Amino acid sequence: MRGMQISSDHPLLLSIVDDLAERGWSQQDLFLPPALVAALAAECRQRAAQGELAPAAVGRGPAQEIREGIRGDRIQWLESGESSACDQYLALMDALREALNRGLFLGLEDFECHFALYPPGAFYRKHVDRFRDDDRRMVSAVVYLNEAWAPEHGGQLRMYLEQDREHDVAPTGGCLVVFLSGEVPHEVMPAMHDRLSLTGWFRRRGNEPF
Ligand code: OGA
Ligand code: MN
């Protein structure tokens, strides 16, 4: 799998760009190949077993807090160069970043992402990903790493779309969901089993004075 490449004009990426332009979100059920899903899932479980995943915080900067009544997942931020599987994922996301810049002129400069594990019963209440005091996050991208997921396992991503429409996505391995970070409220419903994902945000340059 090492060296798997995707060009930023791959049809899959172009259709994500089109979806975002038309309606602000996209779902690709077969985005990550099964072997990469398996490798990333194994890595997420290994990190969890080694105690590397920490309770996720809500908010940003000094106002950050752990609030399990809002979100109960455990996370670890990703760096490049940690493993072949993670680097392949980062390369795919970088191709998507280029495609988004080319198609939507978003000026996305970087991508921050973390593994997330929701233990049974954990959830993430309805929220928007862009922070009130930091508008750098432009596009959210979540890939799911759960190899056998059935509807009765719960754990759907529920997106609140225009005209009071809701759209649920099952966190099935290989599925990618992308949406505009400032515009799509969403929540994670409680799951019966560990729910694994990689969640990330494409960001533009900030306007901070420091
Ligand atoms: C998040 C989030 C959605 C998901 O981490 O901000 O909303 O389906 N995740 O895991
Ligand atoms: Mn979110």
Side-chain angles (χ1 to χ4, degrees):
M1 289 196 303
R2 191 180 284 274
M4 184 181 67
Q5 291 293 331
I6 184 169
S7 147
S8 60
D9 58 10
H10 191 287
L12 202 52
L13 300 184
L14 297 183
S15 78
I16 294 171
V17 171
D18 286 348
D19 284 346
L20 280 186
E22 272 169 36
R23 57 179 197 187
W25 64 280
S26 183
Q27 175 179 346
Q28 303 295 331
D29 289 335
L30 302 173
F31 186 75
L32 287 190
L36 185 53
V37 174
L40 291 168
E43 182 148 347
C44 185
R45 289 192 187 285
Q46 187 187 4
R47 288 170 183 235
Q50 290 167 348
E52 291 172 10
L53 303 191
V58 174
R60 185 181 163 268
Q64 263 199 356
E65 297 177 79
I66 308 294
R67 293 182 63 184
E68 288 183 357
I70 297 181
R71 68 183 293 190
D73 56 330
R74 306 179 70 82
I75 67 165
Q76 188 182 33
W77 292 94
L78 215 67
E79 311 284 341
S80 66
E82 292 180 301
S83 73
S84 161
C86 287
D87 285 352
Q88 284 178 57
Y89 158 75
L90 290 172
L92 289 172
M93 291 298 127
D94 204 56
L96 176 55
R97 186 182 64 80
E98 280 181 30
L100 291 168
N101 281 344
R102 193 168 308 147
L104 302 175
F105 308 103
L106 288 178
L108 304 172
E109 296 209 317
D110 71 28
F111 181 67
E112 57 174 5
C113 61
H114 59 60
F115 278 111
L117 189 155
Y118 288 73
F123 51 81
Y124 194 161
R125 293 267 186 242
K126 186 175 176 184
H127 65 280
V128 174
D129 283 348
R130 182 181 285 174
F131 298 113
R132 245 165 286 171
D133 59 348
D134 176 353
D135 63 2
R136 283 175 297 170
R137 285 181 171 181
M138 297 293 290
V139 177
S140 306
V142 192
V143 295
Y144 300 107
L145 305 176
N146 307 294
E147 280 156 283
W149 199 268
E152 61 269 26
H153 298 157
Q156 314 90 306
L157 168 67
R158 179 160 296 166
M159 293 192 282
Y160 295 89
L161 306 173
E162 63 295 330
Q163 288 155 7
D164 290 334
R165 281 196 314 119
E166 292 175 10
H167 177 70
D168 282 1
V169 181
T172 305
C175 175
L176 167 74
V177 178
V178 182
F179 53 88
L180 297 177
S181 302
E183 292 182 19
V184 182
H186 55 280
E187 72 180 304
V188 177
M189 310 307 286
M192 306 293 293
H193 298 289
D194 284 353
R195 176 191 191 272
L196 278 48
S197 61
L198 272 164
T199 303
W201 297 273
F202 296 99
R203 301 190 303 180
R204 65 181 173 195
R205 189 195 300 273
N207 298 315
E208 284 162 298
F210 40 82

